[in-house]
Structures are given as structure tokens and as C-alpha cells.
Amino acid sequence: MVEKKVVYLSLSIGLYCFLASLWVIFSIYKNKIGYLNRIESYYIHDFETLPAFLCSVGLFVWFKNIKIQYNRWINMCASSTFVVYIIHQVPIFYENLWNDLFAFERFASEKYFFVYFILAVAVIFIVCVIIDQICLNLSKSYYRGII
């Protein structure tokens, strides 16, 4: 069983690295070779592509049976992950958050963009988890008063 997990993880990570490499190569040469732009957008860059699906399935199978001991912080973050997704992808917040507040397009060509990106995502995640925990605590105290 362990060998299958290692194979799934290796294939998923390998496929992801291969796709990332192709994306970089296509990004460099897509202006010089016209049809690469179409190939990149249809088969590499989108989330709905077969390689992205295969990466997802491989990672899902690898994580499916992992036994992790109880950890309060991991469980809190895990229970808030869907709320984080909803908050940061709501159309009303999307433009303001990504383009105005963090201005990713303005920093895209900077040297430390990757570090900036990781920190911005971490800040968004932490703030959304805090908002979710506040809402949960307020709703628990409200319902305790009713019951």
C-alpha cells in the first residue's frame, strides 16, 4: 500500500513539475511561435485540462488514507478553508482584493514577486480564518442564549 502512495505522489509531483516547465517554456516562446499560445491556454494553463485533473486525482489518492493525529490548529484551519475560498472568490471582493489591495499586476515583474505572492496569500488565509472563527463564536453564543 505504501508503494502505491509513493507512486501516486511521485507521478502527481512529476506531472505538476512537467506542466510548470512547459508553462514557462511556452510563456517565453509564445510570441515567437503563434500556435504555442493556443496550446498553452487550452492544454496547460487552464484548470479544466486533463493534466490538471490527473495531478488532482494523484494528490487526492495520496492524501486519502493519511492518518494524522488530532491537532487543534490544523482542524481549525481545515474547517475554515471552505469559508476562506468563498470569501476571497466572491465577485464583489475579488477585484478589490487581488487588483486594488494587493495589486498583483503591478508587482508581477518585481524580483521578489513570489515571496510577495506567498505572503499575500498567507495574509488572506489568516484574515479569512479569523473572520470565520469570529462568526462561529458569535453564532455559538447567540444560539446558547436561545437554547
Side-chain angles (χ1 to χ4, degrees):
M1 186 68 175
V2 174
E3 296 82 20
K4 282 186 178 182
K5 286 184 180 183
V6 172
V7 169
Y8 288 129
L9 180 63
S10 301
L11 286 174
S12 298
I13 291 174
L15 185 58
Y16 181 79
C17 291
F18 176 71
L19 290 174
S21 302
L22 280 179
W23 182 67
V24 169
I25 291 168
F26 281 27
S27 296
I28 293 170
Y29 292 109
K30 71 181 176 184
N31 293 332
K32 297 176 184 171
I33 304 172
Y35 65 87
L36 288 182
N37 192 15
R38 198 168 15 148
I39 291 172
E40 176 198 10
S41 65
Y42 289 139
Y43 299 109
I44 296 174
H45 193 259
D46 286 339
F47 292 119
E48 299 92 14
T49 61
L50 180 61
F53 174 73
L54 293 175
C55 286
S56 301
V57 168
L59 288 173
F60 177 79
V61 169
W62 186 72
F63 279 106
K64 183 178 74 151
N65 293 325
I66 288 181
K67 304 291 185 225
I68 299 176
Q69 59 183 321
Y70 177 81
N71 186 313
R72 181 175 160 232
W73 295 104
I74 290 175
N75 288 348
M76 181 183 67
C77 289
S79 67
S80 297
T81 300
F82 184 62
V83 173
V84 170
Y85 171 73
I86 289 173
I87 290 173
H88 90 279
Q89 286 297 101
V90 169
I92 215 166
F93 297 126
Y94 188 83
E95 286 294 321
N96 295 327
L97 185 66
W98 297 111
N99 296 333
D100 297 336
L101 183 63
F102 288 104
F104 282 116
E105 291 178 7
R106 185 175 50 167
F107 293 107
S109 61
E110 296 294 322
K111 183 178 181 180
Y112 297 107
F113 175 71
F114 185 73
V115 174
Y116 177 74
F117 178 76
I118 295 297
L119 289 175
V121 169
V123 166
I124 291 169
F125 188 85
I126 291 168
V127 168
C128 290
V129 167
I130 291 170
I131 291 170
D132 182 47
Q133 293 303 310
I134 290 171
C135 290
L136 282 174
N137 289 332
L138 287 175
S139 65
K140 283 179 185 177
S141 64
Y142 175 76
Y143 287 119
R144 276 190 210 130
I146 293 176
I147 297 175

